[in-house]
Amino acid sequence: MFLPLNIFAPRLQIMKKYIFLFVCFVFNVSILSANDIEGRGQISGRVTTSDGQPAAFVTVSLEGTKFSTLTGENGRFVLRSIPEGNYQLEVTLISHGRIARPITVDNKKTTSIALELSITDKELQEVVITAVKNNYSIRNPSSSLKLAQPLLEIPQNIQVVTSTALTEQQVISMSDNLIRNVSGATRLEHWGDLYTNITMRGSQIQAFRNGFNVVSSYWGPLTEDMSFVDHIEFVKGPAGFMLANGDPSGLYNVVTKKPTGKTKGEISLTTGSFNLYRGSLDLDGKLSKDGKLLYRLNLAGQNKGSHRPYEFNNRYSFAPVISYQLDDQTKITAEYTWQRAEMSDVGSYYVFSPTGYATLPRDFTTMPPGLPTTKINDQSISVNLQHDLSPNWKLTAQTAYYDYQQHGTSMWPSSVNPDGTMIRAVGIWDAKSKMTLAQAFLNGEVTTGEVSHRILTGIDVGTKDYWADWAQNHPLDSTGAAFDPKAPFYGTPVNGFPVYDRSLNLEARAVNGGGTIDQRYSGVYVQDELGFLNNTIRLTLAGRYTTVTQSAWGEDVQSANRFTPRLGLSVSVDPQTSFYALYDQAFVPQSGRLADGGHVHPVTGNNMELGIKKDWANGRWNTSLSIYRILKNNELTADPNSPPNSGLSVELGQKRAQGVEFDIKGTLAKGLNLTANYAYTNAEVTKVTNGVTDYKVGDVIPGYAKNTMNAWLSYKVQDGALKGTGISGGFTWLTDRATSNWSKTNAELNLPDYFKLDGGLFWEKEKIRLTLNVFNVLNEYLYIGGYYDYLSAYYWQSEPPRSLRLSINYKF
């Protein structure tokens, strides 16, 4: 369970050509920050409570102007690009009025001020944390997205799934239906709860954690348990210029829980259908009296069955975090996460039939009891350093090491006969992954005359290695004694259970079987957002240069490098409304083995996007509307004539995804919360690589729905005998669903429409919350699937029938 001590050995051979430039830039910024700022003036300060604690997430503004901001977790704030003059600086707190102080701003100078609220830290926590953080909408992205500005001003579609939504909808894993909170997101088959596999804007999006790309193979990372997750950010469109190797369709960024400086805790117990028993504990507090040394500890454990017999998915997690405030300018945070999964064979979730989808019972399985379990240990450790060079400039550096170990099997038929009988086979799937990642970036602001500048620059480096043995295969059945789904036999198979040769270490077995992937990357990027007319017009100019060296499946080492530009425009019509336009490019090196033995090219693509964002009722709820077009070149997709774990792919020439997305979320009225969205997506092949005959121009891209609609509404009674009682419910509706994979013989065969209705009741009083949800209320037979040419069979993975979950949360 313990990580090696040498995991953070520097990789100077990758970094040396970037570090000198970055250090020089930081040095020049330090000199610049020591001098007076150019152009207009600014105000910096700190707000504290009556007992001396930092006042986080309170509103600071200049009376009668548009200048407004929220204090950070340390109570600090900065108001920038303010014209010279005399003002009233006010701090507003819901239900506690405001405090105001006169202040004078001089051009080219910073005015500092300290403000103290009349309430204690405990009272502030009850007022602000409940009102601002624990709702369905968030104004600012996490610092791991590197964008130090409100979401309203960012020229890109970014949607956030908050901790409140996760709790109310009883989401316990990334595999649960959390994507209902994001327009246009769908989920494909996922080998049970092994990995998430979210598709958006026509492609599988990348998985990030705290700003790091944590994908080392197509089958990862392991789905995060929600016990240590604070919220999830969905970034639509390219973001590779600042978040390492990205995808033109987007990414999701899992933001983990950090110490808040508040002494508090929460215990949660959940039970439900299919033998679900789960408990979690969240502890948050101080390790020193002065509040400089903080901790956060999250623990969780669950036993979970399935609507299919013999399946189970037991999970355990341990996630301690420690942060230390060295001084007012410097903070360091160390985080360790361990997840343990013990689950039944990951391929048992799939069902096959030559006659059509859903032609077998929803709870049907081909898995016999007695197969070896799959065991996974997933560990990570990270260190984050944040240092304020000045009120205008902040340096962030972080490094992380990820270690993944898997010991298990995967069922997959070797043949399916026309009468539905099949030869079941069980392949070994031992795997491990090691990733060493590092980033350093700088955020700052300067003014030149009447123009303000938000600067972002940084470097990324990383190594990723993946080894897998899937070269050993054991047939459970034999010719003349095939498995018959119409009369299934679940005793000991005629060929017995598999016994694999593990005498060699995994690395050697992976090399012998062609199951290796490795990647080395480095990149440098810079962005300048120019603000005109008191920052009501914002022009973004950015670029990134990325170098990647990689090999896969025993092939020769390949190298690639590319410069990718970014151009954005955001215009504030008023303080609550902005229009934006974006042009961005992506560069994503690929690991794969072409079925024809050819050379794999990196993915290149561009995104053009227009949108409008609006905050309503002082930010309590917001809406966004965007239209986009993405062109993506050279993307690998599985060879339709080979098994899915064969590692063989073909390369598309070009595909185009375009569509419209609308999101609304937040508190519409007191006690009434809504998340709703709609997306129209159209993704198709526009060019075919020479020599590829499996696809043609106009073919629909697999794995998405043209129309996706979601809603989740909750209402809590505010007064009277039923105060604290609430009702919630929502639906997911997908139409014009494409199959999950390519098929030459059934290319036109789409999946049927999908409609799922969920709903429940809850009750809250002070520190206790009871939640009861019923999922798939209509008891529909829901599934995802496709058609495999090489098996001449349909395959699908069914979702549970009507089921329920009951949770009790107690805060202390």
Side-chain angles (χ1 to χ4, degrees):
M1 174 176 170
F2 295 101
L3 298 167
L5 295 177
N6 63 346
I7 57 178
F8 296 117
R11 298 183 59 252
L12 294 179
Q13 66 271 27
I14 288 183
M15 299 179 65
K16 61 184 180 180
K17 56 184 173 183
Y18 297 133
I19 281 192
F20 178 75
L21 292 174
F22 186 71
V23 170
C24 289
F25 190 89
V26 173
F27 178 74
N28 290 329
V29 164
S30 301
I31 295 176
L32 176 64
S33 301
N35 299 322
D36 291 340
I37 61 173
E38 299 181 39
R40 300 186 176 208
Q42 67 179 27
I43 302 170
S44 70
R46 188 168 187 248
V47 182
T48 58
T49 58
S50 60
D51 50 355
Q53 297 300 311
F57 308 110
V58 300
T59 302
V60 181
S61 59
L62 292 182
E63 186 180 42
T65 75
K66 71 177 185 65
F67 295 101
S68 178
T69 189
L70 291 176
T71 58
E73 292 184 358
N74 58 2
R76 294 189 174 277
F77 69 92
V78 178
L79 295 170
R80 300 179 174 91
S81 301
I82 304 171
E84 189 174 54
N86 297 318
Y87 299 91
Q88 284 287 322
L89 181 71
E90 61 179 13
V91 178
T92 307
L93 193 59
I94 298 174
S95 76
H96 280 72
R98 71 184 184 96
I99 60 173
R101 298 286 186 273
I103 193 168
T104 300
V105 177
D106 296 321
N107 283 339
K108 302 183 181 181
K109 291 185 178 181
T110 297
T111 303
S112 300
I113 190 170
L115 300 166
E116 182 179 297
L117 300 177
S118 60
I119 64 173
T120 65
D121 177 63
K122 183 178 180 180
E123 293 170 325
L124 176 66
Q125 180 180 347
E126 294 174 354
V127 174
V128 177
I129 301 302
T130 300
V132 178
K133 290 192 70 179
N134 293 339
N135 53 34
Y136 275 77
S137 61
I138 288 181
R139 294 184 180 181
N140 290 64
S142 70
S143 59
S144 61
L145 284 189
K146 304 179 177 66
L147 298 172
Q149 62 190 111
L151 290 171
L152 188 67
E153 298 180 4
I154 297 173
Q156 191 155 11
N157 190 337
I158 300 176
Q159 301 295 324
V160 181
V161 183
T162 66
S163 58
T164 298
L166 297 175
T167 299
E168 289 193 2
Q169 298 169 21
Q170 292 179 307
V171 175
I172 60 177
S173 165
M174 282 295 297
S175 294
D176 282 342
N177 193 25
L178 67 85
I179 59 173
R180 74 188 319 153
N181 300 283
V182 182
S183 60
T186 57
R187 189 157 178 259
L188 302 187
E189 293 86 39
H190 37 79
W191 301 88
D193 195 31
L194 186 63
Y195 74 109
T196 305
N197 199 0
I198 297 174
T199 294
M200 195 165 63
R201 294 188 173 184
S203 297
Q204 180 184 353
I205 61 176
Q206 297 286 288
F208 280 67
R209 189 187 299 176
N210 294 325
F212 285 118
N213 186 329
V214 292
V215 176
S216 63
S217 75
Y218 181 78
W219 303 276
L222 180 66
T223 51
E224 285 89 354
D225 188 275
M226 291 296 104
S227 60
F228 57 85
V229 174
D230 186 77
H231 62 276
I232 301 110
E233 299 165 321
F234 284 79
V235 180
K236 300 188 176 188
F241 78 101
M242 60 180 176
L243 293 176
N245 300 311
D247 187 277
S249 295
L251 60 95
Y252 68 86
N253 183 41
V254 173
V255 181
T256 58
K257 295 177 180 177
K258 306 295 192 299
T260 64
K262 318 297 181 183
T263 300
K264 57 188 175 71
E266 181 174 359
I267 186 170
S268 175
L269 300 174
T270 301
T271 187
S273 302
F274 316 118
N275 298 315
L276 170 63
Y277 301 99
R278 173 184 171 85
S280 63
L281 176 66
D282 182 358
L283 299 175
D284 191 0
K286 304 175 183 178
L287 293 174
S288 64
K289 292 183 178 180
D290 60 7
K292 291 186 175 181
L293 184 61
L294 308 176
Y295 80 95
R296 189 80 179 259
L297 176 63
N298 280 275
L299 304 169
Q302 76 175 34
N303 288 339
K304 182 174 180 286
S306 168
H307 63 287
R308 288 175 291 264
Y310 319 127
E311 289 181 3
F312 64 92
N313 180 14
N314 301 334
R315 300 284 290 266
Y316 314 93
S317 63
F318 171 64
V321 187
I322 294 178
S323 68
Y324 183 65
Q325 191 78 40
L326 280 71
D327 51 43
D328 287 345
Q329 289 76 41
T330 309
K331 181 179 181 180
I332 186 168
T333 303
E335 181 173 356
Y336 172 76
T337 301
W338 172 66
Q339 293 191 95
R340 167 78 170 179
E342 295 184 10
M343 55 199 301
S344 50
D345 181 282
V346 297
S348 65
Y349 298 80
Y350 295 84
V351 177
F352 299 83
S353 171
T355 57
Y357 297 120
T359 52
L360 293 168
R362 178 165 45 191
D363 61 354
F364 177 80
T365 182
T366 60
M367 185 183 72
L371 276 183
T373 61
T374 292
K375 299 179 180 179
I376 299 171
N377 280 296
D378 184 38
Q379 301 178 84
S380 67
I381 185 170
S382 63
V383 179
N384 177 285
L385 174 69
Q386 298 182 11
H387 177 67
D388 293 331
L389 298 172
S390 74
N392 290 331
W393 292 91
K394 180 178 181 179
L395 175 66
T396 302
Q398 62 177 358
T399 186
Y401 178 77
Y402 290 82
D403 182 279
Y404 175 92
Q405 307 278 343
Q406 176 177 319
H407 186 279
T409 64
S410 174
M411 288 187 62
W412 205 262
S414 59
S415 64
V416 178
N417 300 316
D419 63 356
T421 60
M422 66 183 69
I423 304 297
R424 299 169 300 171
V426 180
I428 189 174
W429 194 352
D430 290 354
K432 72 177 184 179
S433 166
K434 296 183 182 296
M435 295 184 286
T436 304
L437 312 171
Q439 302 174 346
F441 57 94
L442 189 67
N443 295 99
E445 293 197 15
V446 296
T447 57
T448 54
E450 297 296 315
V451 180
S452 62
H453 300 263
R454 283 182 178 142
I455 306 295
L456 167 64
T457 185
I459 58 174
D460 296 296
V461 295
T463 67
K464 299 182 178 183
D465 294 285
Y466 180 81
W467 301 268
D469 176 14
W470 47 62
Q472 303 180 57
N473 198 51
H474 176 84
L476 298 178
D477 313 299
S478 61
T479 303
F483 179 79
D484 187 357
K486 298 176 183 177
F489 172 71
Y490 294 110
T492 302
V494 294
N495 287 338
F497 292 107
V499 177
Y500 301 112
D501 181 5
R502 292 186 167 100
S503 57
L504 295 177
N505 62 39
L506 178 57
E507 290 87 345
R509 287 185 279 136
V511 171
N512 293 338
T516 60
I517 304 173
D518 67 80
Q519 184 184 97
R520 310 289 184 266
Y521 69 84
S522 59
V524 59
Y525 54 89
V526 62
Q527 172 178 296
D528 184 6
E529 183 184 89
L530 296 85
F532 303 93
L533 302 179
N534 294 333
N535 203 42
T536 56
I537 299 176
R538 296 166 295 275
L539 175 65
T540 299
L541 303 174
R544 175 186 175 93
Y545 186 80
T546 304
T547 299
V548 179
T549 301
Q550 65 183 21
S551 63
W553 323 114
E555 299 297 317
D556 294 335
V557 175
Q558 304 173 21
S559 296
N561 55 76
R562 188 178 180 91
F563 173 80
T564 51
R566 177 181 175 92
L567 177 64
L569 179 67
S570 177
V571 179
S572 294
V573 179
D574 56 49
Q576 291 79 41
T577 310
S578 66
F579 291 87
Y580 72 88
L582 174 68
Y583 173 80
D584 205 343
Q585 289 188 355
F587 170 67
V588 188
Q590 300 182 97
S591 297
R593 184 174 56 185
L594 296 181
D596 63 3
H599 176 74
V600 177
H601 298 88
V603 172
T604 60
N606 61 64
N607 174 55
M608 289 174 283
E609 185 173 333
L610 298 172
I612 178 173
K613 304 178 184 181
K614 185 172 180 62
D615 285 344
W616 305 81
N618 197 29
R620 287 194 295 271
W621 61 285
N622 55 63
T623 57
S624 65
L625 175 67
S626 62
I627 59 174
Y628 66 90
R629 189 191 74 164
I630 296 174
L631 295 178
K632 196 172 181 181
N633 305 304
N634 309 322
E635 184 179 40
L636 290 183
T637 189
D639 178 22
N641 300 309
S642 303
N645 59 352
S646 66
L648 295 178
S649 303
V650 295
E651 193 173 83
L652 287 177
Q654 183 185 82
K655 71 178 187 180
R656 181 186 64 206
Q658 54 191 3
V660 180
E661 298 165 336
F662 175 75
D663 291 83
I664 176 173
K665 62 181 59 177
T667 302
L668 302 183
K670 194 172 183 180
L672 181 65
N673 292 320
L674 172 67
T675 294
N677 54 72
Y678 167 78
Y680 170 80
T681 307
N682 185 31
E684 60 185 16
V685 177
T686 52
K687 294 180 182 178
V688 177
T689 302
N690 290 335
V692 174
T693 59
D694 299 315
Y695 317 113
K696 63 182 183 299
V697 172
D699 279 355
V700 172
I701 303 298
Y704 79 97
K706 276 193 176 182
N707 298 282
T708 66
M709 290 155 278
N710 295 280
W712 183 268
L713 183 69
S714 70
Y715 176 72
K716 183 172 67 173
V717 179
Q718 301 296 300
D719 301 294
L722 295 178
K723 181 179 180 180
T725 303
I727 185 171
S728 59
F731 68 87
T732 296
W733 189 11
L734 311 176
T735 67
D736 292 325
R737 289 198 297 162
T739 55
S740 295
N741 69 312
W742 293 95
S743 168
K744 291 188 295 184
T745 57
N746 285 280
E748 75 288 347
L749 182 60
N750 282 346
L751 293 165
D753 292 348
Y754 175 112
F755 184 83
K756 183 181 180 183
L757 180 67
D758 306 319
L761 302 171
F762 63 90
W763 176 77
E764 287 182 323
K765 184 177 182 181
E766 297 178 350
K767 299 180 179 180
I768 298 177
R769 177 184 172 96
L770 295 174
T771 307
L772 174 65
N773 281 323
V774 179
F775 301 98
N776 193 6
V777 173
L778 302 179
N779 202 29
E780 296 285 340
Y781 190 159
L782 304 173
Y783 58 89
I784 313 167
Y787 185 89
Y788 276 119
D789 290 330
Y790 81 99
L791 288 173
S792 298
Y794 298 83
Y795 75 98
W796 67 95
Q797 186 176 133
S798 65
E799 296 186 14
R802 184 185 299 118
S803 57
L804 62 86
R805 286 181 184 174
L806 173 66
S807 299
I808 178 170
N809 296 64
Y810 176 72
K811 297 180 179 181
F812 54 92

